[in-house]
Amino acid sequence: MPRASQLLFSFCLVAGLCYRASCQLPKRLDLAADIAHPRLQRTLHQPLPEHYIWTAGKAAKGAEHDFLRIFRLQSLPAQAMLYVAGPRQFTVWVNGLRAGAVQPKRGNLRPQVMSAAVKLQSGENRLAVAARGGDRLVVKIVPAAYGENATPVLISDARWRGAINAAAGWRRAGSAASGWQPVKDLGGIESHIDNFQWNADSGLYAWPGYDGISPFLARMPVLARRVLQIQAGRGKFQGLQALASARQLQAAGRGFAVRVPVGTPQAKQPSLVLDFGREMDGRIALESAARQPFIVVASYGESLGETRHPYLGATPIYVLPGRVSYGPKSAFRYVRLQFPANFPGWERFRAVRLDNIYYPVQYRGSFSSSDPLLNRIWATGAYTAHLCMLDDIWDAPKRDRGRWMGDLDVSGRVIDTVFADHFLMQDTLNRLAGDAQHPAQHDVNGIPGYSAFWVMGEHDYYLHTGDLAYLRSLHAQLLALLAYMRTEMPAARFVNPHHAWPFVDWSPGLFGDNAATRRATQLEFYRAFQNGAWMLRQMGDQASARKWADYARRVRQVAQGQLRTGNTFGRRWQTNAMAVFSGVASPAERQAIWSQVLSRPKTAMITPYYNFYVIEAMAKLGHRRHALDWIRQYWGGMIREGATSFWEAYDPAWPKQNFHKYLQADNGMGYFVSLAHGWSSGPTAWLTEQVLGLKPLTPGFRQMQIRPDLLGLRRAQGSEPTPGGVVKVRYHALGGGRLRARILLPAGVEARVLMPAPAGAGVKVNGKPMAARRVEQGQRLRVWLKHAGSYTLTN
């Protein structure tokens, strides 16, 4: 064993002992894991009637977009509140009088919601909005006090008119409205899944009645696990124990309350932090028991430190009397609540809780072993992927809350392995590449490598599902994307002629347009062209399959001839791992890649994202034990630092004190870095495939491989879903290289079982000797299980 590997192994042993002795993480990470949902449903919410609108036609950058609505009222409401949101900058007039304005504001909470009490008149009324920056506008007037929702007397919809740089005087009452064009009606603000992504609606918690949750999602109330950093200042608290006790909340008159003397300066205002015990997606919910409204300021944090520097900022929540008022949706573990001096008396709460928003899906895959750390790593990866399953599969539930294909190539493998989800997987993949009538004519996410990963992701999904009808529905998109990728490779070498963003990893030198990122992208493209040709054969398009298989060989030849440095592909773990993972590396190069690169200390940081391809490459090179040691050190390092979901970026050498402050990603460092990122969940799929040895050989697991490899563990067991049912396995080491494997096969699955082959060993199946063939240079014994049933194999 090389000295670097010996040091790594020793470190992992010590770290594993430390983990067992000191880890105080919650035993059950995913509170929704045991909730069965045969049909996707959630509590009813009637979508709001107001629509997003925008001006029709093209406009120069910086142009003013003007909107006008003339409406009549037969009777006047006793009060009227106007709400406007959407553009970065706008001014509003009602009946010629300026009602309010919004100026551009830095921060991630958007859009800004403007509200104003307005005076309407019987008969004709005129509402005018002048906006700059943005691509949507929403407006409503409700006959209610601030924060209250009611049937609106006016909403933004197709009846509005729009103009670009309208003539002077158009805002005045009585001015002509002729010549204006109908606006583009973009649909209800809760009508489309894209409206909920990219934190684009994080500011709409202040919009009365807004929910912004897709109808297939579910919700669960969760109380805090503990209360931290209680600062009374000049205020007083009552019933603090009720914040983390359902029993106390249910006891009449024993809820939580706070009192702040009027005039208390901000520095002396009371505050506290709620710890929910684990990373969760959702929003803070404040249920008032007071008779008057008041304001609470909430600051979310994935870490305790982030509550002082929250990604969404410190957000004031207007708490309505006797109602539940919500903060913005995001992902967090901690919430800092500050209580401004805005209420003359006790601010009383029936409840303060997290409104957990989650995708209701069952855990069908599982893993456990004699190593508690590996068990925790598997469960944390599965939970991380689940956190990213919301309104489609996102990179992260805090930032960016959007679809990224590189992230999905890793998290999708976990989702296939654990949940066997189809709805979100198909919807996300489809939206990334366009539909059959309008296939994408550009790189997926604007990143060439992510185009390659879309092809790889579809390949892996089809292997797991065997859904040929779905695969065939992608024929046009696949051909269009492969053709576009070829335009980026004059002479079969990736040179980035379209000036795209050849991102590889958040590691120095691997997220800009340079020789290193182009080399890695070439390797990614090779695997994509291979996978694309294979899928075209499955569809029955043999001519296209031959064309792209031939081109893949040409891409590999160019990589072999022009991208190597000696027998490796540079000094970086990432590039060499992709050379192995993609299949570009020859046998001699594979040996050199291990001995000269992957068995030696890395030369630069690697995110958990590309570390997945590193451990995949180690397994392909026959070094699974080293990969497992690296999993214990790297992902186990996050666990030892308190992770309840895996982080966007990590390096074991980074500072441990206030760790979140020092995480590096997205060409920056600090609290904005996500602590729940789907691209970091890879060990979950790896442990299932490499330790349990479960892998589809043909689409839909009609034939699968079961290759037990305990890698020094005493025992391991688990399961993986297939279209025919769940495959279950249980392994026990018997000593001397002998193994007992119990296997439960569902209907429609044949299994190629590769048992370890100690000297002179044979295989018994259910106690009877069975003919077996030696494979893998005599290291394994191969037997076939042809029928559904329960089997016990020993060697």
Side-chain angles (χ1 to χ4, degrees):
M1 182 184 292
R3 178 167 175 77
S5 299
Q6 290 178 334
L7 291 173
L8 175 60
F9 182 70
S10 300
F11 175 88
C12 291
L13 283 177
V14 173
L17 292 173
C18 294
Y19 167 81
R20 293 178 180 88
S22 64
C23 184
Q24 299 297 319
L25 297 173
K27 292 182 179 179
R28 183 182 173 194
L29 276 177
D30 197 338
L31 295 178
D34 297 332
I35 299 177
H37 291 273
R39 299 174 63 183
L40 298 180
Q41 57 186 2
R42 53 174 283 271
T43 54
L44 294 177
H45 167 73
Q46 293 297 323
L48 295 174
E50 47 266 33
H51 286 206
Y52 284 123
I53 60 174
W54 199 243
T55 52
K58 294 182 178 180
K61 185 176 180 180
E64 182 178 280
H65 295 259
D66 300 319
F67 302 88
L68 185 63
R69 177 75 165 91
I70 299 173
F71 60 103
R72 301 186 66 83
L73 294 177
Q74 299 299 324
S75 60
L76 288 177
Q79 54 187 337
M81 286 297 304
L82 166 69
Y83 299 90
V84 184
R88 294 182 62 249
Q89 176 180 348
F90 59 85
T91 307
V92 186
W93 295 265
V94 176
N95 296 324
L97 299 177
R98 189 176 185 272
V102 157
Q103 296 299 318
K105 182 180 178 181
R106 296 184 64 182
N108 299 306
L109 195 70
R110 59 185 189 273
Q112 296 183 72
V113 176
M114 189 214 85
S115 60
V118 295
K119 185 176 182 181
L120 303 177
Q121 56 196 25
S122 296
E124 184 176 286
N125 289 267
R126 186 185 189 96
L127 197 157
V129 181
R132 296 180 188 273
D135 59 3
R136 60 189 59 193
L137 170 75
V138 59
V139 181
K140 75 173 175 181
I141 299 176
V142 294
Y146 175 75
E148 298 275 0
N149 195 31
T151 301
V153 299
L154 174 74
I155 61 172
S156 47
D157 56 21
R159 291 174 290 180
W160 283 58
R161 294 293 182 266
I164 298 171
N165 296 323
W170 66 275
R171 305 157 187 160
R172 293 194 299 269
S175 62
S178 59
W180 288 58
Q181 299 297 315
V183 294
K184 291 188 294 186
D185 188 333
L186 304 176
I189 63 174
E190 296 178 294
S191 67
H192 197 281
I193 197 170
D194 282 343
N195 293 341
F196 310 144
Q197 300 205 84
W198 308 108
N199 277 303
D201 70 335
S202 55
L204 285 180
Y205 75 95
W207 191 268
Y210 185 78
D211 200 23
I213 303 172
S214 291
F216 50 79
L217 297 179
R219 293 160 61 177
M220 177 194 306
V222 178
L223 293 178
R225 194 177 181 197
R226 54 182 180 156
V227 185
L228 307 172
Q229 298 188 357
I230 302 167
Q231 302 289 334
R234 292 184 181 174
K236 293 182 180 180
F237 289 120
Q238 281 184 356
L240 281 168
Q241 69 277 12
L243 292 172
S245 168
R247 181 177 299 176
Q248 291 288 349
L249 284 172
Q250 292 167 1
R254 301 187 66 183
F256 169 66
V258 60
R259 185 169 187 174
V260 192
V262 175
T264 299
Q266 183 175 355
K268 297 295 183 178
Q269 292 169 1
S271 66
L272 53 83
V273 174
L274 301 179
D275 175 10
F276 292 93
R278 58 186 57 74
E279 179 91 4
M280 302 187 82
D281 182 83
R283 53 192 180 175
I284 194 70
L286 307 174
E287 185 174 358
S288 170
R291 296 182 179 179
Q292 298 179 35
F294 54 87
I295 293 174
V296 176
V297 178
S299 301
Y300 296 164
E302 293 187 294
S303 66
L304 190 57
E306 192 190 352
T307 64
R308 296 289 187 184
H309 308 274
Y311 179 72
L312 291 180
T315 59
I317 303 172
Y318 190 75
V319 182
L320 294 170
R323 305 281 187 86
V324 179
S325 301
Y326 297 103
K329 297 172 298 180
S330 188
F332 52 92
R333 173 177 172 172
Y334 303 92
V335 179
R336 184 177 300 277
L337 298 178
Q338 186 169 357
F339 303 90
N342 58 73
F343 186 75
W346 286 96
E347 300 173 7
R348 298 192 178 276
F349 298 83
R350 289 194 180 90
V352 178
R353 59 181 178 266
L354 188 154
D355 183 31
N356 178 213
I357 302 168
Y358 66 96
Y359 182 62
V361 66
Q362 292 178 267
Y363 278 66
R364 301 177 64 200
S366 63
F367 176 90
S368 67
S369 73
S370 53
D371 185 339
L373 178 58
L374 292 181
N375 301 343
R376 190 68 180 197
I377 289 171
W378 189 96
T380 303
Y383 182 49
T384 303
H386 192 198
L387 283 169
C388 297
M389 299 170 73
L390 288 160
D391 308 280
D392 270 358
I393 301 169
W394 295 345
D395 63 329
K398 180 183 85 172
R399 202 211 85 228
D400 300 314
R401 295 178 74 90
R403 308 178 193 98
W404 289 101
M405 188 58 231
D407 307 66
L408 183 60
D409 187 58
V410 179
S411 64
R413 294 168 190 269
V414 176
I415 291 165
D416 290 340
T417 299
V418 180
F419 307 113
D421 174 74
H422 303 303
F423 173 69
L424 279 191
M425 281 291 292
Q426 291 185 15
D427 193 74
T428 307
L429 287 165
N430 291 351
R431 292 178 187 275
L432 281 164
D435 57 37
Q437 288 72 39
H438 305 91
Q441 298 297 318
H442 51 74
D443 281 310
V444 174
N445 295 126
I447 300 173
Y450 280 21
S451 297
F453 282 122
W454 184 87
V455 181
M456 297 183 213
E458 291 285 7
H459 171 268
D460 190 71
Y461 178 71
Y462 177 58
L463 263 180
H464 279 79
T465 66
D467 188 342
L468 185 57
Y470 171 68
L471 183 66
R472 284 175 172 160
S473 74
L474 303 171
H475 185 254
Q477 294 96 309
L478 178 60
L479 288 178
L481 188 58
L482 292 174
Y484 184 84
M485 290 166 63
R486 185 168 182 170
T487 68
E488 300 179 284
M489 305 188 74
R493 179 168 180 176
F494 178 78
V495 296
N496 196 24
H498 306 311
H499 305 291
W501 178 27
F503 170 83
V504 175
D505 193 24
W506 290 127
S507 182
L510 285 180
F511 54 87
D513 190 0
N514 56 50
T517 55
R518 292 185 180 192
R519 173 161 49 187
T521 300
Q522 172 101 5
L523 301 172
E524 294 166 351
F525 271 34
Y526 169 66
R527 184 174 173 103
F529 287 127
Q530 277 192 313
N531 286 173
W534 182 85
M535 287 189 288
L536 288 165
R537 282 195 295 273
Q538 296 290 312
M539 297 179 199
D541 186 351
Q542 302 302 329
S544 296
R546 286 192 295 272
K547 169 185 173 181
W548 292 111
D550 289 343
Y551 190 68
R553 285 190 287 272
R554 176 63 180 144
V555 171
R556 183 176 186 273
Q557 290 172 356
V558 171
Q560 286 281 341
Q562 301 181 28
L563 302 183
R564 291 181 305 164
T565 303
N567 267 344
T568 69
F569 291 80
R571 304 305 306 166
R572 301 292 287 268
W573 273 23
Q574 290 96 323
T575 310
N576 284 280
M578 185 51 64
V580 174
F581 179 77
S582 67
V584 165
S586 67
E589 290 159 354
R590 288 159 63 99
Q591 184 177 356
I593 285 170
W594 172 253
S595 63
Q596 299 177 29
V597 182
L598 294 183
S599 67
R600 297 176 180 273
K602 58 185 175 58
T603 57
M605 66 160 281
I606 307 175
T607 64
Y609 163 51
Y610 236 82
N611 255 317
F612 171 70
Y613 302 107
V614 169
I615 59 176
E616 282 282 285
M618 288 180 175
K620 286 180 178 292
L621 293 172
H623 294 281
R624 292 177 179 84
R625 183 72 68 94
H626 295 86
L628 196 64
D629 291 343
W630 181 237
I631 288 170
R632 288 185 176 110
Q633 181 186 356
Y634 187 83
W635 282 272
M638 285 184 264
I639 297 290
R640 286 183 289 273
E641 293 188 41
T644 61
S645 53
F646 286 133
W647 308 338
E648 179 181 11
Y650 177 68
D651 193 294
W654 288 345
K656 310 302 180 190
Q657 187 71 23
N658 197 8
F659 72 94
H660 198 177
K661 180 180 179 181
Y662 298 101
L663 299 188
Q664 301 174 35
D666 211 359
N667 200 25
M669 179 175 68
Y671 296 110
F672 74 92
V673 177
S674 165
L675 297 193
H677 224 78
W679 76 4
S680 304
S681 60
T684 298
W686 193 95
L687 289 167
T688 297
E689 182 170 323
Q690 302 299 339
V691 175
L692 301 183
L694 307 181
K695 177 182 179 180
L697 296 176
T698 61
F701 284 86
R702 290 187 295 275
Q703 291 184 340
M704 70 173 298
Q705 178 171 286
I706 302 178
R707 186 186 185 279
D709 201 349
L710 289 179
L711 300 174
L713 300 169
R714 298 189 306 277
R715 58 174 176 80
Q717 67 183 57
S719 59
E720 181 167 6
T722 78
V726 176
V727 175
K728 298 180 180 180
V729 296
R730 178 177 294 183
Y731 309 136
H732 283 87
L734 302 178
R738 297 181 62 242
L739 177 78
R740 181 174 64 243
R742 290 179 173 147
I743 299 171
L744 181 65
L745 280 187
V749 176
E750 295 182 4
R752 181 178 74 183
V753 184
L754 302 177
M755 293 286 286
V763 175
K764 289 184 178 181
V765 178
N766 293 337
K768 297 180 180 180
M770 187 172 183
R773 181 179 177 182
R774 286 189 174 267
V775 294
E776 297 187 16
Q777 292 79 47
Q779 299 302 306
R780 293 269 162 173
L781 291 165
R782 186 184 72 191
V783 298
W784 280 94
L785 304 180
K786 298 284 189 177
H787 306 287
S790 179
Y791 300 89
T792 298
L793 288 76
T794 55
N795 58 5

